[in-house]
Amino acid sequence: MLTQRDTSSSGTQSTGHGNHKEDSPFLNNADAASKKNDFYDRNLALFEEELDIRPKVSSLLSRLVSYTNITQGAKEHEEAESAEASRRKTPKSPNMGTLMGVYLPCLQNIFGVILFLRLTWIVGMAGIMQSLLIVLMCCSCTMLTAISMSAIATNGVVPAGGAYFMISRSLGPEFGGAVGLCFYLGTTFASAMYILGAIEIFLKYLVPQAAVFHATDTLGSDSAMLNNMRVYGSICLSLMAVVVFVGVKYVNKLASLFLACVIISIVSIYAGAFKSMTHPPEFTICMLGNRTLVRDRFDVCAKTVMKGNITVPSQLWERFCLPGNMSSAQCDDYFIQNNVTEIQGIPGLGSGIIRENMWSDYQQKGEILEKAGLQSVDAHGAMENFGMYVSADIATSFTLLVGIFFPSATGIMAGSNRSGDLRDAQKSIPVGTILAITTTSLVYFSSVVLFGSCIEGVVLRDKFGDAVQKNLVVGTLSWPSPWVIVIGSFFSTVGAGLQSLTGAPRLLQAIAKDNIIPFLRVFGHGKTNGEPTWALLLTGLIAELGILIASLDMVAPILSMFFLMCYLFVNLACAVQTLLRTPNWRPRFKYYHWALSFLGMSMCLALMFISSWYYAIVAMVIAGMIYKYIEYQGAEKEWGDGIRGLSLSAARYALLRLEVGPPHTKNWRPQLLVLLKLDEDLHVKYPRLLTFASQLKAGKGLTIVGSVVQGNFLDSYGEMQAAEQTIKNMMEIERVKGFCQIVVASKVREGIVHLIQSCGLGGMKHNTVMMGWPYGWRQSEDPRAWKTFINTVRCTTAAHLALMVPKNVSFYPSNHERFTDGNIDVWWIVHDGGMLMLLPFLLKLHKVWRKCRMRIFTVAQMDDNSIQMKKDLATFLYQLRIEAEVEVVEMHDSDISAYTYERTLMMEQRSQMLRQMRLSSAERQREAQLVKDRHSLVRMGSLYSDEEEEVVEAPPEKVQMTWTREKCEAERRNRNNAPENFRELMSLKPDQSNVRRMHTAVKLNEVIVNRSHDARLVLLNMPGPPRNTDGDENYMEFLEVLTEGLERVLLVRGGGREVITIYS
């Protein structure tokens, strides 16, 4: 995705595709045209030409002063608003301090439903010691996260978006999107949890008669309750969504009221606890033996009652016995053998009950709550009377309780989410958040101790207050009345639900507007005032899923996972930035350390698996899938994130390690430098070179694609960038994973030499050069058509690099073709490191060549034992673990044929003719015109022909190797007599060494064409160029003869080192 860039006042665009002007690291530049006078300031005349892209310090500071954070739900600060919009909106200056902007919102978000509905039950089940451990673990995790968050939040301006913005800008769009969506899902499920908590308070303690579903028997009460929760929860969610849709301002106005309810409720708990030291509240529990009875099923806690002077059965008796007389035979065994006693539900702070509540008492589902120490006769009770006892509704364990309690420690991001409204966010966020966590942690610690010190153990373990006449357990302790807690907790949970339902759609909208997840774009739109309508709809649907679960204890671990995942990455972001020592990492908050961040990250991970390992795996899979999706399909963003810095550090470390020495033969693989030619329109001339490179590499190892732009660097910079973009686009089409290197040089030959010398970095340098064949070199009157090619061959040899030249590359298969059969033939004539054996093996790893068979041919002379050679070669290939057919081709000595002699003669005559045609500029032009007129030859540009004019004058004194002294004298005399020169050419006799070389080329070609004419690919040793540069043109002719009649040929030249080994 192209980032918006600053343009100059004159409207000048940057040259080239990628040559953008320097980004403004702070803000979008104001219209420079209006400040033209500033540009011609007398004191800044030296800089006046650059003031459009490098503004004066005064103008920069004035823009910084007028900058304000954008409020939550609006566009991010990176997206420039239009001039009309900025004129319409007059942003209010942020004026919230630490107390109102951070501390109180964090308190409201942290204190929630768990404190009022589940903390007493957690203390009862886990005991005081393990409850303190649970609180310590959860609060330590959030405190460490808050320290990391404070460091990130104070490292520059944090616009609205809170945790998502911090993580995405610190760890990149992939992590940011994954964690942002996890945070969104956590917030959405939190709204479902708060709604379920509010409905539980409503149906259990406020208006129990409002239940729609009623249990037909005692065992069906749980399912009836869950159905009631689903009905009322869905209604409540719909009403809340309507309130949020109508206007967020109403939610914000009610926030202070809801916060007051929370504070009053907590104060009433403390007041009741301290009052219980002298005047404990009267809440008695009825016990049968040591079992706790459901108190609202009967009136008097006794087996019999006195009516007048007559003892009659009580309601309790009638519950356990059959109707009729008081005969004991008709009653439950356990009821008959055990006494009914009453004990105090709230013994008080000074009662010493703390000793009994110190240790855990975990229950299995359906287990009856029993008080240790009370006398009891163990007898079998009737199953139909099970509903009279208070029993555990779920199986409990330490890990389960951690997952249920953790949501009551979340909410620490409330301050950073409001950073746009803070007067000094960089000061308020750390102070307010850490103070809020400290306050809430102290409240939780003291509450655990107070609950364990004041309330009877069986009442603590009674989740719904069945033993205390359906009262909220924490309400029985409060002063002046249980209703303070019931009403206060109801309103606080409703308020927290509204806050979550308000925040979650805005978070989704922020992610959608970043455009990193394409399918979420629709949720970036909303009402004209920026309210996220579509995002609210999706949030409501996801929250409804949580409400359909209907159990607070089941929903709490789900949102624990998502919040823990978010906190884990906040810690990771801080640790990565700290360890990398990024220059931009300068937080104002100094009390952080990478070790604390890693400890926080480890605690988050541990808590995830402690509370619910299967939920943890699901949450991590979801985050991983989102990460891979953004990486695969999402828009590319450059946010200066820490992961990019981490990649740079890892790359630097790896490169330094590679510097130790050259790679071992076992690790050798072709690290390619692919030399490409671009045409006049900057299009890749032979894209199949890239195709073949991708098939050879299969995504592994180093690939550098290089090209030369001819010209002057200062003038051709834009052209160079355009060429680079063209090649990168072609690499993407051909799926070549690698780098692009463009060199601007006055001569193409020099540019190629620069590429061969300087490409790569440290140990990651190319070891193999791939270039195309100079097609049409024979028809070209310009010797540069093939001299550049030969010069490149010599340079690769001098640099000890391997060389590959695919001939007829346009006939090579594309990545979409598949060869279902056929052979890859290797003609192993001379050994130069084993490249010929390795390349077919690498090619066969690609799907195009996978079905091809490999055949290896080697050439035996008359004095060689061909049978033994075949055995040795088969053994060698077996030890190399390469499957291939082996053939030894015998080449008999034969006389040089007339065809060979004639072919050599034609080659030398043509070479001599062209040499004479280049003697002087005028004669060269005249003879070239003559050739064009006679033969209508069109000059064809070679793959590496230099476009610059270069006059090569043959020194007249130099004696050519095929000329006699007399002929040289005649050549001097008759230099300007073209007809006589041509007559001498007709009487020319070929050089014997050239005849021998041509004989070898012709014979080898006959053998290769005979055996491999139908092969899918032929790999062949490439002979080296002659030491004497006068024979260069003959060398090209030898290569042409050697490869004549073959459809696809790969000429291979080793780099002078072994690249394949038989050892493991």
Side-chain angles (χ1 to χ4, degrees):
M1 179 180 169
L2 290 173
T3 313
Q4 290 181 336
R5 308 276 179 178
D6 296 331
T7 55
S8 67
S9 60
S10 59
T12 308
Q13 297 299 322
S14 58
T15 56
H17 286 245
N19 182 21
H20 299 292
K21 289 179 179 172
E22 185 74 22
D23 274 347
S24 168
F26 304 102
L27 310 163
N28 293 319
N29 285 340
D31 186 16
S34 63
K35 300 187 178 181
K36 221 171 210 177
N37 295 333
D38 295 346
F39 289 1
Y40 302 104
D41 194 300
R42 288 178 200 154
N43 299 325
L44 296 176
L46 275 175
F47 303 96
E48 64 186 12
E49 291 185 0
E50 291 186 316
L51 280 175
D52 55 343
I53 55 171
R54 292 179 171 86
K56 288 197 305 181
V57 174
S58 58
S59 58
L60 171 71
L61 292 175
S62 66
R63 283 199 296 276
L64 274 174
V65 168
S66 62
Y67 174 71
T68 56
N69 273 344
I70 297 167
T71 53
Q72 191 171 16
K75 285 188 176 183
E76 287 200 4
H77 75 300
E78 292 169 333
E79 299 178 339
E81 290 186 329
S82 64
E84 293 82 4
S86 58
R87 278 198 294 271
R88 270 202 311 270
K89 296 176 186 175
T90 53
K92 290 196 315 186
S93 59
N95 55 7
M96 290 182 115
T98 305
L99 182 70
M100 294 300 294
V102 182
Y103 181 71
L104 293 179
C106 280
L107 277 189
Q108 185 183 357
N109 277 266
I110 296 171
F111 285 135
V113 64
I114 302 295
L115 171 64
F116 302 118
L117 292 184
R118 293 291 182 269
L119 190 56
T120 52
W121 174 72
I122 289 171
V123 173
M125 291 294 179
I128 292 173
M129 297 305 292
Q130 288 190 21
S131 298
L132 289 174
L133 180 61
I134 291 171
V135 174
L136 179 66
M137 287 168 63
C138 296
C139 292
S140 300
C141 179
T142 53
M143 179 61 86
L144 291 169
T145 304
I147 291 170
S148 299
M149 185 196 75
S150 299
I152 298 171
T154 58
N155 186 50
V157 179
V158 179
Y164 163 68
F165 184 89
M166 288 189 288
I167 295 168
S168 62
R169 270 46 176 190
S170 297
L171 292 180
E174 293 88 359
F175 279 112
V179 179
L181 279 183
C182 283
F183 192 45
Y184 163 73
L185 290 172
T187 311
T188 305
F189 275 104
S191 65
M193 184 190 76
Y194 288 128
I195 290 170
L196 287 174
I199 299 304
E200 185 177 308
I201 295 168
F202 180 75
L203 288 177
K204 285 278 187 183
Y205 311 114
L206 280 175
V207 193
Q209 56 271 27
V212 178
F213 298 93
H214 298 280
T216 51
D217 58 359
T218 54
L219 298 175
S221 59
D222 286 347
S223 58
M225 183 62 190
L226 292 178
N227 287 330
N228 287 323
M229 299 274 279
R230 291 184 181 108
V231 171
Y232 280 101
S234 301
I235 294 168
C236 184
L237 175 64
S238 305
L239 291 173
M240 284 186 177
V242 169
V243 170
V244 172
F245 178 76
V246 168
V248 183
K249 57 184 178 181
Y250 301 114
V251 179
N252 293 332
K253 284 178 180 176
L254 291 171
S256 53
L257 172 66
F258 297 139
L259 179 60
C261 291
V262 174
I263 293 171
I264 291 168
S265 301
I266 292 170
V267 168
S268 72
I269 294 171
Y270 281 103
F274 289 114
K275 181 177 177 291
S276 69
M277 290 179 70
T278 54
H279 299 88
E282 287 295 325
F283 283 100
T284 55
I285 310 165
C286 192
M287 309 291 292
L288 178 60
N290 63 354
R291 295 180 179 179
T292 313
L293 295 173
V294 178
R295 193 64 184 84
D296 66 333
R297 298 284 178 91
F298 51 90
D299 51 359
V300 180
C301 182
K303 292 186 179 181
T304 57
V305 292
M306 296 293 293
K307 284 195 177 178
N309 294 324
I310 306 168
T311 303
V312 295
S314 65
Q315 284 186 5
L316 187 61
W317 181 285
E318 291 171 357
R319 291 283 186 177
F320 281 95
C321 300
L322 293 173
N325 58 11
M326 292 180 66
S327 168
S328 59
Q330 307 261 321
C331 291
D332 185 273
D333 287 347
Y334 189 87
F335 179 75
I336 291 297
Q337 296 182 36
N338 287 281
N339 295 323
V340 175
T341 54
E342 270 191 321
I343 62 171
Q344 188 65 25
I346 314 290
L349 200 56
S351 63
I353 197 74
I354 187 171
R355 286 190 294 275
E356 294 180 20
N357 294 331
M358 193 63 73
W359 309 111
S360 61
D361 186 10
Y362 295 114
Q363 310 274 317
Q364 293 301 314
K365 184 176 181 178
E367 190 176 335
I368 296 170
L369 300 188
E370 298 177 347
K371 177 174 170 56
L374 281 182
Q375 287 188 349
S376 173
V377 178
D378 196 14
H380 183 70
M383 193 63 201
E384 56 267 18
N385 295 322
F386 179 77
M388 289 297 298
Y389 302 112
V390 181
S391 59
D393 64 330
I394 58 170
T396 52
S397 63
F398 179 80
T399 57
L400 176 85
L401 297 183
V402 170
I404 291 173
F405 177 77
F406 187 79
S408 64
T410 60
I412 61 172
M413 301 288 184
S416 62
N417 289 348
R418 287 173 170 76
S419 58
D421 302 324
L422 299 173
R423 191 182 305 116
D424 184 0
Q426 297 192 354
K427 176 187 173 187
S428 297
I429 288 176
V431 174
T433 307
I434 292 172
L435 273 179
I437 294 174
T438 307
T439 306
T440 52
S441 301
L442 289 174
V443 169
Y444 288 140
F445 282 123
S446 57
S447 297
V448 167
V449 175
L450 287 177
F451 291 158
S453 305
C454 297
I455 305 175
E456 175 61 52
V458 287
V459 180
L460 287 173
R461 289 188 287 280
D462 180 8
K463 187 188 288 185
F464 301 114
D466 291 327
V468 285
Q469 295 182 338
K470 298 286 186 184
N471 274 301
L472 184 59
V473 174
V474 70
T476 59
L477 183 62
S478 66
W479 178 86
S481 165
W483 287 102
V484 176
I485 289 280
V486 172
I487 295 170
S489 60
F490 176 75
F491 280 114
S492 71
T493 46
V494 168
L498 274 172
Q499 292 281 1
S500 299
L501 212 54
T502 305
R506 276 156 183 73
L507 183 58
L508 182 62
Q509 187 182 40
I511 298 169
K513 283 188 174 181
D514 261 346
N515 203 22
I516 55 172
I517 304 176
F519 68 83
L520 288 182
R521 283 177 192 151
V522 66
F523 299 109
H525 307 299
K527 292 195 290 188
T528 51
N529 61 353
E531 290 298 315
T533 312
W534 292 107
L536 177 62
L537 184 65
L538 180 68
T539 304
L541 291 174
I542 296 173
E544 180 62 24
L545 292 177
I547 283 167
L548 291 177
I549 295 173
S551 169
L552 187 69
D553 305 318
M554 294 285 284
V555 174
I558 295 175
L559 69 103
S560 292
M561 287 308 122
F562 291 125
F563 278 123
L564 280 166
M565 182 79 75
C566 177
Y567 296 167
L568 184 148
F569 281 105
V570 170
N571 285 303
L572 176 64
C574 181
V576 166
Q577 298 275 35
T578 308
L579 287 174
L580 287 178
R581 296 187 179 90
T582 318
N584 191 49
W585 180 246
R586 303 184 297 274
R588 289 188 180 278
F589 181 77
K590 300 297 181 187
Y591 306 102
Y592 68 93
H593 194 268
W594 64 265
L596 291 176
S597 298
F598 269 115
L599 180 60
M601 193 172 69
S602 307
M603 287 192 71
C604 288
L605 196 62
L607 283 173
M608 284 174 72
F609 282 94
I610 284 171
S611 55
S612 177
W613 63 268
Y614 44 90
Y615 279 157
I617 290 172
V618 169
M620 292 171 89
V621 166
I622 290 172
M625 286 169 64
I626 298 167
Y627 178 95
K628 293 307 289 183
Y629 177 79
I630 296 172
E631 186 182 55
Y632 176 72
Q633 198 170 354
E636 289 186 8
K637 297 273 184 179
E638 177 49 67
W639 284 330
D641 51 86
I643 291 298
R644 190 172 178 81
L646 191 63
S647 303
L648 286 170
S649 292
R652 172 182 163 276
Y653 175 75
L655 283 170
L656 289 172
R657 287 288 302 273
L658 283 175
E659 278 286 284
V660 174
H664 191 272
T665 305
K666 289 186 287 187
N667 295 327
W668 195 96
R669 63 168 68 241
Q671 316 281 20
L672 290 182
L673 168 61
V674 183
L675 298 175
L676 283 187
K677 171 74 175 174
L678 301 177
D679 60 17
E680 291 78 7
D681 298 325
L682 297 180
H683 295 142
V684 178
K685 208 164 186 179
Y686 300 106
R688 283 293 162 88
L689 268 176
L690 287 177
T691 311
F692 184 66
S694 71
Q695 292 167 6
L696 185 65
K697 302 300 291 179
K700 303 292 190 296
L702 175 73
T703 305
I704 302 171
V705 181
S707 188
V708 179
V709 172
Q710 190 177 339
N712 181 282
F713 179 74
L714 294 176
D715 300 330
S716 306
Y717 183 70
E719 189 181 350
M720 184 190 85
Q721 287 202 308
E724 185 175 354
Q725 194 58 49
T726 301
I727 291 177
K728 282 182 177 177
N729 292 340
M730 186 56 69
M731 288 171 70
E732 195 171 331
I733 292 168
E734 298 295 341
R735 295 182 181 176
V736 176
K737 295 183 184 299
F739 308 99
C740 178
Q741 182 83 47
I742 307 293
V743 168
V744 179
S746 57
K747 296 181 181 180
V748 174
R749 190 185 306 174
E750 290 176 3
I752 292 172
V753 174
H754 294 159
L755 283 172
I756 291 172
Q757 288 183 82
S758 61
C759 277
L761 182 64
M764 280 294 279
K765 290 184 75 73
H766 56 278
N767 55 29
T768 307
V769 176
M770 180 191 288
M771 64 175 175
W773 178 259
Y775 303 102
W777 68 274
R778 279 175 174 157
Q779 289 81 9
S780 173
E781 66 210 41
D782 190 349
R784 293 186 301 267
W786 43 267
K787 282 195 173 183
T788 303
F789 174 81
I790 297 177
N791 186 64
T792 308
V793 176
R794 285 197 172 99
C795 287
T796 54
T797 306
H800 300 290
L801 301 175
L803 176 67
M804 289 188 287
V805 181
K807 199 160 180 283
N808 303 328
V809 74
S810 53
F811 295 118
Y812 278 53
S814 70
N815 284 324
H816 305 294
E817 295 178 46
R818 302 281 187 282
F819 286 143
T820 54
D821 58 358
N823 300 312
I824 298 176
D825 286 358
V826 176
W827 284 85
W828 191 22
I829 299 165
V830 293
H831 178 66
D832 56 358
M835 277 275 286
L836 284 171
M837 257 70 75
L838 186 62
L839 292 176
F841 170 75
L842 295 174
L843 276 176
K844 277 168 63 66
L845 297 176
H846 195 274
K847 56 194 174 186
V848 171
W849 305 91
R850 191 167 291 148
K851 299 285 181 67
C852 294
R853 294 180 303 278
M854 185 173 160
R855 296 192 302 185
I856 294 185
F857 297 89
T858 189
V859 176
Q861 302 301 321
M862 283 300 292
D863 53 349
D864 293 329
N865 184 343
S866 58
I867 297 173
Q868 187 60 41
M869 276 181 71
K870 185 171 182 178
K871 285 182 181 177
D872 293 343
L873 182 56
T875 306
F876 179 57
L877 289 176
Y878 177 78
Q879 290 173 336
L880 288 176
R881 291 90 63 203
I882 290 177
E883 294 180 10
E885 294 178 30
V886 176
E887 288 193 41
V888 177
V889 179
E890 295 181 350
M891 288 187 69
H892 302 287
D893 287 338
S894 60
D895 295 332
I896 295 173
S897 65
Y899 169 76
T900 303
Y901 192 87
E902 184 67 26
R903 187 86 186 245
T904 313
L905 182 63
M906 285 173 60
M907 176 184 77
E908 293 199 357
Q909 283 178 343
R910 178 184 177 281
S911 176
Q912 187 60 39
M913 182 180 71
L914 288 174
R915 193 175 286 115
Q916 289 179 1
M917 287 170 65
R918 291 192 294 269
L919 290 178
S920 69
S921 178
E923 188 171 353
R924 182 188 62 192
Q925 290 173 0
R926 186 172 65 250
E927 294 296 337
Q929 187 63 43
L930 182 67
V931 173
K932 285 181 182 176
D933 293 342
R934 286 180 183 172
H935 304 289
S936 302
L937 292 177
V938 180
R939 180 177 180 274
M940 296 178 65
S942 77
L943 189 62
Y944 293 113
S945 65
D946 287 40
E947 303 300 330
E948 74 273 9
E949 289 299 319
E950 179 185 302
V951 179
V952 180
E953 297 205 331
E957 290 77 24
K958 190 167 184 180
V959 179
Q960 305 298 332
M961 63 180 175
T962 55
W963 288 26
T964 62
R965 185 180 298 275
E966 293 76 16
K967 283 179 181 174
C968 184
E969 298 282 336
E971 189 270 333
R972 281 201 198 96
R973 287 194 306 272
N974 302 320
R975 179 177 297 172
N976 296 323
N977 191 346
E980 287 187 21
N981 286 335
F982 280 117
R983 276 198 299 274
E984 285 201 13
L985 285 175
M986 300 309 293
S987 62
L988 188 70
K989 289 184 179 179
D991 184 86
Q992 285 304 309
S993 64
N994 285 345
V995 173
R996 280 200 321 275
R997 290 192 180 102
M998 182 65 78
H999 175 67
T1000 305
V1002 170
K1003 293 295 291 180
L1004 272 175
N1005 179 254
E1006 283 178 9
V1007 174
I1008 293 170
V1009 170
N1010 184 37
R1011 297 296 184 95
S1012 302
H1013 60 89
D1014 58 347
R1016 299 295 188 188
L1017 180 66
V1018 175
L1019 284 86
L1020 187 61
N1021 284 115
M1022 182 179 183
R1027 290 187 177 89
N1028 187 351
T1029 56
D1030 292 332
D1032 284 357
E1033 194 169 4
N1034 300 340
Y1035 171 70
M1036 295 297 295
E1037 188 69 36
F1038 295 145
L1039 292 181
E1040 286 281 13
V1041 172
L1042 186 63
T1043 56
E1044 246 176 13
L1046 298 170
E1047 188 181 15
R1048 300 184 192 93
V1049 186
L1050 181 63
L1051 294 169
V1052 180
R1053 189 163 168 74
R1057 61 161 293 168
E1058 292 294 327
V1059 301
I1060 197 164
T1061 178
I1062 62 174
Y1063 300 107
S1064 61

